[in-house]
Amino acid sequence: MIKGIIFDLDGVLLSTDEYHYMAWKSIADKLGIYFDKQINNKLRGVSRMDSLEIILGKNNSFSVTEKEMLAEEKNELYRTYLAELKPSAVEKSVRETLDKIRALDIKTAIGSSSKNTRYILEKTDLTHYFNAISDGNNITKSKPDPEVFLKAAEYIGLPPSECIVVEDAHAGIDAAKAGGFTAVAIGDARTHSQADYKINELKELLKIIA
Ligand code: BG6
Ligand code: MG
């Protein structure tokens, strides 16, 4: 019996991938490191610092302070793009799906690795759809660790066995399964073999919970 839905944000409710890509690309270019959209795909669901480590590659010689400065620089750039976000960045069918879910006896939460979650939700007028927010600010371990989803379930007062997680990242499906959740894959995560359901559009979620 599904009593709660935990949504990843980036790539599930709206697409900020291009903004992440542009910001990381400019850091990589500055450092003379090759970076393309395929590498950007590997950063889905991965925390900011872990993403930087992937871009810099193993055995890089940057100090912790230098890495923190690079991550901060990326975030400042990313936030200049986010500042342009408007409610129209969320597809009409996504908003309609959230409206329908809110009319049911189902608790909703966000489970995102992003520390910019609340800013994005506010800019796109999505905040009111969720009973709780678990994000990059309340976790110590990033996806594929289940912490962000376990916290979200705790915040809405439900056990993982009664919650669905909706994810577009492979790391997110790993995290959902590791936490004992039902995993619904959308977008890039649809190729994950462990997903319990695969959907093309968010509105298909309504059939799963019916
Ligand atoms: C996730 C994105 O939602 O948030 C990742 O899929 C990103 O690509 C991560 O690295 C962290 O985001 P932020 O906003 O804290 O830098
Ligand atoms: Mg995502």
Side-chain angles (χ1 to χ4, degrees), residues 2 12 18 21 35 71 85 99 113 131 157-158 162 164 173 210:
I2 295 304
V12 170
E18 190 62 22
Y21 171 72
F35 185 71
L85 268 184
D99 277 325
S113 308
N131 297 110
L158 292 170
E162 292 178 359
I164 273 181
I173 298 292

Side-chain angles (χ1 to χ4, degrees), residues 17-54:
D17 332 18
E18 190 62 22
Y19 294 163
H20 279 297
Y21 171 72
M22 292 191 294
W24 281 129
K25 175 82 178 144
S26 107
I27 300 290
D29 284 353
K30 191 181 87 168
L31 298 172
I33 295 172
Y34 181 75
F35 185 71
D36 62 16
K37 294 213 168 171
Q38 228 174 327
I39 304 172
N40 192 55
N41 242 347
K42 289 188 200 158
L43 312 181
R44 278 178 202 280
V46 177
S47 74
R48 197 181 308 160
M49 283 312 279
D50 289 350
S51 297
L52 179 63
E53 293 290 353
I54 292 172

Side-chain angles (χ1 to χ4, degrees), residues 8-12 44-45 143 167-169:
D8 170 54
L9 178 61
D10 297 325
V12 170
R44 278 178 202 280
K143 299 168 190 175
E167 258 294 347
D168 74 307

Side-chain angles (χ1 to χ4, degrees), residues 98-111:
L98 291 172
D99 277 325
K100 286 179 185 161
I101 290 169
R102 291 304 283 159
L104 303 170
D105 189 20
I106 282 184
K107 291 257 167 61
T108 55
I110 291 286

Side-chain angles (χ1 to χ4, degrees), residues 1-4 6 150 153 158-164 176 179-182:
M1 180 68 183
I2 295 304
K3 294 187 179 159
I6 302 169
L150 292 174
L158 292 170
S161 58
E162 292 178 359
C163 297
I164 273 181
F181 297 88
T182 298

